[in-house]
Amino acid sequence: MWLGSKLHATLPKLIVVTPTYNRSAQIPDLVRLKQTLNLVPHCDWIVVEDALQPNDHVYNYIRDFKSGALLYVSQQSRDPIFRGKEQRNKALQLIRRTASKNPEMEAVVYFADDDNSYDSNFLHSLRYTKQIAIFNVGLVTNRTLEGPLVENNTVIGFRTGFFGNRSFCIDMAGFAVNIQLLLKFPESNFSTARRGRMETEFLSTFNIPLNEFEYFHGKNGIHVWHTQTKNFAISKPDLTIIPANKTATNILAINEKDAITARSTKGKEIRDKDNESVL
Protein backbone atom coordinates (compact mmCIF):
# COMPACT_ATOMS: atom_id res chain seq x y z
CA MET A 1 0.00 0.00 0.00
CA TRP A 2 1.01 3.60 -0.35
CA LEU A 3 2.49 5.04 2.82
CA GLY A 4 2.68 8.81 2.88
CA SER A 5 1.89 11.68 5.18
CA LYS A 6 -1.19 11.04 7.37
CA LEU A 7 -1.77 14.72 8.08
CA HIS A 8 -4.12 15.08 5.09
CA ALA A 9 -5.18 11.43 4.88
CA THR A 10 -8.84 12.34 4.44
CA LEU A 11 -8.05 13.97 1.08
CA PRO A 12 -8.01 11.93 -2.12
CA LYS A 13 -4.37 11.20 -2.91
CA LEU A 14 -2.56 12.84 -5.83
CA ILE A 15 -0.01 10.52 -7.45
CA VAL A 16 2.49 12.35 -9.66
CA VAL A 17 4.46 10.39 -12.25
CA THR A 18 7.70 11.89 -13.56
CA PRO A 19 9.82 10.20 -16.24
CA THR A 20 13.37 11.52 -16.21
CA TYR A 21 16.65 10.94 -18.04
CA ASN A 22 20.36 11.77 -17.90
CA ARG A 23 21.10 15.35 -19.04
CA SER A 24 22.81 18.45 -17.72
CA ALA A 25 19.61 20.03 -16.35
CA GLN A 26 18.14 16.84 -14.87
CA ILE A 27 18.95 17.51 -11.22
CA PRO A 28 17.97 21.22 -11.23
CA ASP A 29 14.69 20.30 -12.93
CA LEU A 30 13.92 17.57 -10.41
CA VAL A 31 14.81 19.81 -7.46
CA ARG A 32 12.46 22.51 -8.74
CA LEU A 33 9.65 19.99 -9.23
CA LYS A 34 10.30 18.49 -5.78
CA GLN A 35 9.95 21.91 -4.20
CA THR A 36 6.65 22.47 -6.03
CA LEU A 37 5.25 19.07 -5.01
CA ASN A 38 6.27 19.63 -1.40
CA LEU A 39 3.59 22.33 -1.37
CA VAL A 40 0.91 19.84 -2.46
CA PRO A 41 -0.56 17.92 0.51
CA HIS A 42 -1.09 14.14 0.43
CA CYS A 43 0.93 13.73 -2.75
CA ASP A 44 2.98 10.67 -3.71
CA TRP A 45 5.75 10.98 -6.30
CA ILE A 46 6.97 8.25 -8.64
CA VAL A 47 10.18 9.14 -10.48
CA VAL A 48 11.23 6.73 -13.24
CA GLU A 49 14.79 6.99 -14.53
CA ASP A 50 15.46 6.10 -18.18
CA ALA A 51 18.33 3.74 -17.37
CA LEU A 52 19.13 0.18 -16.42
CA GLN A 53 19.40 1.18 -12.77
CA PRO A 54 18.59 4.26 -10.68
CA ASN A 55 21.25 6.89 -10.10
CA ASP A 56 22.35 7.39 -6.48
CA HIS A 57 23.43 10.96 -7.18
CA VAL A 58 19.99 11.90 -8.54
CA TYR A 59 18.29 10.17 -5.62
CA ASN A 60 20.30 12.16 -3.09
CA TYR A 61 18.72 15.36 -4.43
CA ILE A 62 15.10 14.17 -4.21
CA ARG A 63 15.13 11.84 -1.20
CA ASP A 64 13.98 14.64 1.12
CA PHE A 65 10.61 14.88 -0.64
CA LYS A 66 8.17 15.30 2.26
CA SER A 67 4.62 15.61 0.97
CA GLY A 68 4.04 11.88 0.73
CA ALA A 69 5.75 8.71 -0.43
CA LEU A 70 8.63 8.80 -2.89
CA LEU A 71 9.42 5.91 -5.21
CA TYR A 72 12.46 6.16 -7.47
CA VAL A 73 12.82 3.32 -9.98
CA SER A 74 14.30 2.72 -13.41
CA GLN A 75 13.03 1.57 -16.79
CA GLN A 76 15.24 1.92 -19.85
CA SER A 77 13.70 3.10 -23.14
CA ARG A 78 13.86 0.76 -26.08
CA ASP A 79 13.40 3.58 -28.59
CA PRO A 80 14.65 7.12 -27.73
CA ILE A 81 12.12 8.62 -30.16
CA PHE A 82 9.39 7.63 -27.71
CA ARG A 83 11.27 8.57 -24.54
CA GLY A 84 8.92 8.68 -21.56
CA LYS A 85 6.53 6.02 -22.83
CA GLU A 86 8.01 3.02 -21.06
CA GLN A 87 8.73 5.04 -17.93
CA ARG A 88 5.08 6.11 -17.65
CA ASN A 89 3.92 2.56 -18.32
CA LYS A 90 6.26 1.30 -15.58
CA ALA A 91 4.63 3.74 -13.17
CA LEU A 92 1.14 2.66 -14.26
CA GLN A 93 2.10 -0.94 -13.58
CA LEU A 94 3.23 -0.07 -10.05
CA ILE A 95 0.15 2.06 -9.40
CA ARG A 96 -2.23 -0.69 -10.51
CA ARG A 97 -0.37 -3.25 -8.43
CA THR A 98 -0.82 -1.11 -5.34
CA ALA A 99 -4.41 -0.06 -6.07
CA SER A 100 -5.50 -3.66 -6.72
CA LYS A 101 -4.71 -4.38 -3.06
CA ASN A 102 -6.89 -1.46 -2.02
CA PRO A 103 -9.72 -1.26 -4.60
CA GLU A 104 -11.51 1.52 -2.72
CA MET A 105 -8.45 3.76 -2.89
CA GLU A 106 -9.25 7.38 -3.71
CA ALA A 107 -6.50 8.82 -5.86
CA VAL A 108 -5.82 10.69 -9.09
CA VAL A 109 -2.78 10.20 -11.34
CA TYR A 110 -1.01 13.11 -13.03
CA PHE A 111 1.94 12.89 -15.43
CA ALA A 112 4.36 15.73 -14.68
CA ASP A 113 7.50 16.01 -16.77
CA ASP A 114 10.40 17.45 -14.82
CA ASP A 115 11.14 20.30 -17.26
CA ASN A 116 7.73 21.99 -16.98
CA SER A 117 6.47 24.58 -14.48
CA TYR A 118 3.46 23.95 -12.24
CA ASP A 119 1.19 25.93 -9.92
CA SER A 120 1.07 23.90 -6.70
CA ASN A 121 -2.41 25.17 -5.80
CA PHE A 122 -3.75 23.95 -9.13
CA LEU A 123 -2.11 20.54 -8.71
CA HIS A 124 -3.84 20.29 -5.34
CA SER A 125 -7.22 20.71 -7.08
CA LEU A 126 -6.59 17.82 -9.50
CA ARG A 127 -7.20 15.25 -6.74
CA TYR A 128 -10.95 15.88 -7.16
CA THR A 129 -10.99 14.52 -10.74
CA LYS A 130 -13.90 12.09 -11.08
CA GLN A 131 -12.84 10.42 -14.34
CA ILE A 132 -10.58 12.47 -16.64
CA ALA A 133 -9.80 16.15 -16.13
CA ILE A 134 -8.33 18.26 -18.91
CA PHE A 135 -6.98 21.80 -18.79
CA ASN A 136 -4.83 24.38 -20.54
CA VAL A 137 -1.07 24.10 -20.88
CA GLY A 138 0.87 27.27 -21.62
CA LEU A 139 3.70 27.78 -24.10
CA VAL A 140 3.08 24.77 -26.35
CA THR A 141 4.37 24.77 -29.97
CA ASN A 142 5.17 28.50 -29.95
CA ARG A 143 1.63 29.39 -28.89
CA THR A 144 0.26 30.96 -25.73
CA LEU A 145 -1.56 27.78 -24.80
CA GLU A 146 -3.00 24.47 -25.90
CA GLY A 147 -6.18 23.20 -24.32
CA PRO A 148 -9.90 22.49 -24.47
CA LEU A 149 -12.61 24.71 -25.94
CA VAL A 150 -15.53 24.90 -23.53
CA GLU A 151 -19.15 25.94 -23.97
CA ASN A 152 -21.55 25.98 -21.01
CA ASN A 153 -18.95 24.12 -18.95
CA THR A 154 -18.83 21.32 -21.53
CA VAL A 155 -15.75 20.50 -23.60
CA ILE A 156 -16.59 20.81 -27.30
CA GLY A 157 -13.15 20.83 -28.94
CA PHE A 158 -9.54 21.93 -28.63
CA ARG A 159 -7.27 24.86 -29.33
CA THR A 160 -3.98 23.59 -30.74
CA GLY A 161 -1.21 24.27 -33.23
CA PHE A 162 0.06 20.70 -33.37
CA PHE A 163 -1.54 17.72 -35.19
CA GLY A 164 -5.07 19.11 -35.24
CA ASN A 165 -6.50 15.83 -36.51
CA ARG A 166 -6.06 14.15 -33.11
CA SER A 167 -9.18 13.07 -31.22
CA PHE A 168 -7.81 14.69 -28.07
CA CYS A 169 -5.49 17.59 -28.85
CA ILE A 170 -3.92 17.78 -25.43
CA ASP A 171 -0.39 17.94 -24.04
CA MET A 172 0.92 15.30 -21.65
CA ALA A 173 0.77 17.91 -18.88
CA GLY A 174 -2.86 18.74 -19.68
CA PHE A 175 -4.85 15.89 -18.13
CA ALA A 176 -5.30 13.83 -14.97
CA VAL A 177 -6.93 10.40 -14.56
CA ASN A 178 -8.80 8.92 -11.61
CA ILE A 179 -7.18 5.72 -10.36
CA GLN A 180 -10.48 3.84 -10.52
CA LEU A 181 -10.51 4.36 -14.28
CA LEU A 182 -7.03 2.84 -14.50
CA LEU A 183 -8.31 -0.21 -12.63
CA LYS A 184 -11.38 -0.47 -14.84
CA PHE A 185 -9.20 -0.41 -17.97
CA PRO A 186 -6.11 -2.45 -17.01
CA GLU A 187 -4.81 -2.52 -20.60
CA SER A 188 -4.81 1.27 -20.96
CA ASN A 189 -1.16 2.20 -21.41
CA PHE A 190 0.92 4.50 -23.57
CA SER A 191 1.71 3.19 -27.05
CA THR A 192 4.11 4.13 -29.83
CA ALA A 193 1.78 3.73 -32.78
CA ARG A 194 2.40 7.25 -34.13
CA ARG A 195 4.75 9.96 -32.99
CA GLY A 196 3.02 12.95 -31.40
CA ARG A 197 -0.12 10.99 -30.62
CA MET A 198 0.83 9.28 -27.38
CA GLU A 199 -1.62 11.35 -25.32
CA THR A 200 -4.62 11.02 -27.62
CA GLU A 201 -4.20 7.27 -28.05
CA PHE A 202 -3.89 6.79 -24.29
CA LEU A 203 -7.01 8.83 -23.57
CA SER A 204 -8.94 7.04 -26.33
CA THR A 205 -8.53 3.70 -24.57
CA PHE A 206 -10.98 4.75 -21.85
CA ASN A 207 -13.93 5.11 -24.26
CA ILE A 208 -15.16 8.31 -22.63
CA PRO A 209 -16.82 10.85 -24.97
CA LEU A 210 -15.33 14.32 -25.11
CA ASN A 211 -18.36 16.00 -23.53
CA GLU A 212 -17.88 13.91 -20.38
CA PHE A 213 -14.34 15.14 -19.78
CA GLU A 214 -14.03 17.50 -16.82
CA TYR A 215 -12.62 20.94 -17.54
CA PHE A 216 -10.45 22.43 -14.80
CA HIS A 217 -10.03 26.16 -15.31
CA GLY A 218 -8.38 27.16 -12.06
CA LYS A 219 -8.23 30.79 -10.99
CA ASN A 220 -6.38 32.14 -14.02
CA GLY A 221 -6.94 29.70 -16.86
CA ILE A 222 -3.29 28.57 -17.23
CA HIS A 223 -1.52 26.88 -14.34
CA VAL A 224 0.90 24.54 -16.15
CA TRP A 225 3.59 25.67 -18.58
CA HIS A 226 5.73 23.81 -21.09
CA THR A 227 8.87 25.74 -20.17
CA GLN A 228 11.50 23.10 -21.08
CA THR A 229 14.76 24.00 -19.36
CA LYS A 230 17.69 24.46 -21.71
CA ASN A 231 20.36 21.77 -21.52
CA PHE A 232 24.05 22.47 -22.01
CA ALA A 233 26.72 20.22 -23.47
CA ILE A 234 29.40 20.15 -20.78
CA SER A 235 32.62 19.47 -22.70
CA LYS A 236 35.34 20.99 -20.49
CA PRO A 237 36.27 20.47 -16.82
CA ASP A 238 35.93 23.34 -14.36
CA LEU A 239 38.98 25.60 -14.09
CA THR A 240 40.07 25.68 -10.45
CA ILE A 241 42.68 28.30 -9.40
CA ILE A 242 44.18 28.05 -5.91
CA PRO A 243 47.00 30.32 -4.66
CA ALA A 244 50.24 28.41 -4.03
CA ASN A 245 50.15 29.00 -0.27
CA LYS A 246 46.48 28.03 0.19
CA THR A 247 44.54 24.76 0.41
CA ALA A 248 40.91 24.64 -0.68
CA THR A 249 38.72 22.46 1.51
CA ASN A 250 35.40 22.77 -0.31
CA ILE A 251 36.20 21.33 -3.74
CA LEU A 252 33.65 18.67 -4.65
CA ALA A 253 35.29 15.31 -5.06
CA ILE A 254 33.19 14.46 -8.08
CA ASN A 255 33.52 14.98 -11.78
CA GLU A 256 30.87 15.22 -14.45
CA LYS A 257 30.78 11.48 -15.00
CA ASP A 258 30.34 10.80 -11.28
CA ALA A 259 27.64 13.44 -10.91
CA ILE A 260 25.57 12.68 -13.96
CA THR A 261 26.13 9.12 -15.10
CA ALA A 262 27.00 7.14 -11.97
CA ARG A 263 24.72 4.16 -11.57
CA SER A 264 23.51 2.54 -8.38
CA THR A 265 24.74 -0.91 -7.46
CA LYS A 266 22.01 -1.36 -4.87
CA GLY A 267 19.32 -2.72 -7.18
CA LYS A 268 16.72 -1.42 -9.58
CA GLU A 269 14.62 0.35 -6.99
CA ILE A 270 15.54 3.00 -4.45
CA ARG A 271 13.00 3.93 -1.82
CA ASP A 272 12.89 6.84 0.58
CA LYS A 273 14.12 5.21 3.78
CA ASP A 274 12.18 7.61 5.99
CA ASN A 275 8.91 7.39 4.06
CA GLU A 276 8.88 4.07 2.30
CA SER A 277 6.33 2.91 -0.25
CA VAL A 278 5.71 -0.81 -0.34
CA LEU A 279 4.72 -2.00 -3.79
Side-chain angles (χ1 to χ4, degrees):
M1 60 183 295
W2 293 94
L3 300 176
S5 170
K6 297 181 179 180
L7 182 62
H8 300 279
T10 57
L11 293 173
K13 185 183 294 294
L14 181 66
I15 303 173
V16 175
V17 173
T18 300
T20 189
Y21 67 97
N22 184 339
R23 63 194 190 281
S24 61
Q26 179 187 23
I27 288 175
D29 283 342
L30 284 171
V31 168
R32 180 178 61 171
L33 180 54
K34 176 192 69 176
Q35 292 170 334
T36 297
L37 296 180
N38 271 335
L39 300 174
V40 182
H42 205 37
C43 172
D44 287 351
W45 191 20
I46 303 176
V47 181
V48 188
E49 183 85 40
D50 186 354
L52 289 174
Q53 297 184 60
N55 184 330
D56 280 338
H57 190 66
V58 171
Y59 177 62
N60 285 337
Y61 278 92
I62 63 175
R63 64 184 303 168
D64 59 345
F65 173 69
K66 298 175 181 177
S67 188
L70 168 67
L71 182 62
Y72 177 45
V73 298
S74 64
Q75 178 67 49
Q76 189 170 43
S77 293
R78 300 175 186 175
D79 188 341
I81 294 178
F82 299 104
R83 174 172 281 151
K85 176 191 79 80
E86 294 184 53
Q87 290 73 40
R88 296 182 185 99
N89 286 340
K90 172 74 171 183
L92 288 174
Q93 177 188 20
L94 297 174
I95 290 169
R96 287 187 172 108
R97 182 193 302 172
T98 296
S100 64
K101 300 173 184 177
N102 183 14
E104 302 302 318
M105 181 178 183
E106 293 185 66
V108 169
V109 177
Y110 179 60
F111 301 95
D113 289 350
D114 56 8
D115 59 350
N116 291 341
S117 300
Y118 306 90
D119 181 338
S120 60
N121 290 325
F122 184 73
L123 294 183
H124 173 58
S125 72
L126 296 182
R127 70 181 75 249
Y128 300 108
T129 299
K130 296 177 182 178
Q131 290 192 103
I132 299 177
I134 55 176
F135 35 90
N136 296 321
V137 178
L139 306 177
V140 178
T141 61
N142 297 320
R143 293 174 179 264
T144 303
L145 64 89
E146 178 177 84
L149 294 172
V150 179
E151 183 179 81
N152 297 326
N153 208 34
T154 300
V155 179
I156 61 172
F158 292 92
R159 178 192 293 107
T160 185
F162 178 74
F163 288 158
N165 60 343
R166 293 174 290 163
S167 298
F168 303 104
C169 301
I170 201 75
D171 184 79
M172 188 66 70
F175 65 90
V177 182
N178 191 290
I179 199 170
Q180 294 301 321
L181 204 59
L182 295 175
L183 291 177
K184 183 178 179 180
F185 293 89
E187 301 302 318
S188 291
N189 289 302
F190 291 95
S191 70
T192 56
R194 290 175 292 177
R195 188 176 182 181
R197 290 174 166 80
M198 198 179 299
E199 299 91 340
T200 187
E201 292 182 3
F202 175 69
L203 293 174
S204 296
T205 63
F206 297 107
N207 298 319
I208 296 178
L210 182 60
N211 61 3
E212 292 185 15
F213 278 47
E214 304 150 62
Y215 172 58
F216 278 39
H217 181 80
K219 290 185 178 180
N220 301 306
I222 306 176
H223 296 271
V224 178
W225 294 266
H226 217 254
T227 42
Q228 294 186 317
T229 305
K230 182 177 180 180
N231 288 290
F232 295 89
I234 302 174
S235 58
K236 296 181 180 179
D238 293 340
L239 179 62
T240 303
I241 301 174
I242 305 174
N245 62 341
K246 302 291 183 181
T247 301
T249 60
N250 67 330
I251 296 177
L252 295 178
I254 58 176
N255 57 33
E256 181 195 354
K257 181 179 179 181
D258 295 328
I260 298 178
T261 63
R263 291 294 175 250
S264 169
T265 59
K266 298 177 182 178
K268 292 187 177 180
E269 297 187 4
I270 297 178
R271 296 190 176 99
D272 185 329
K273 296 178 179 59
D274 298 321
N275 196 9
E276 188 177 55
S277 271
V278 181
L279 293 174

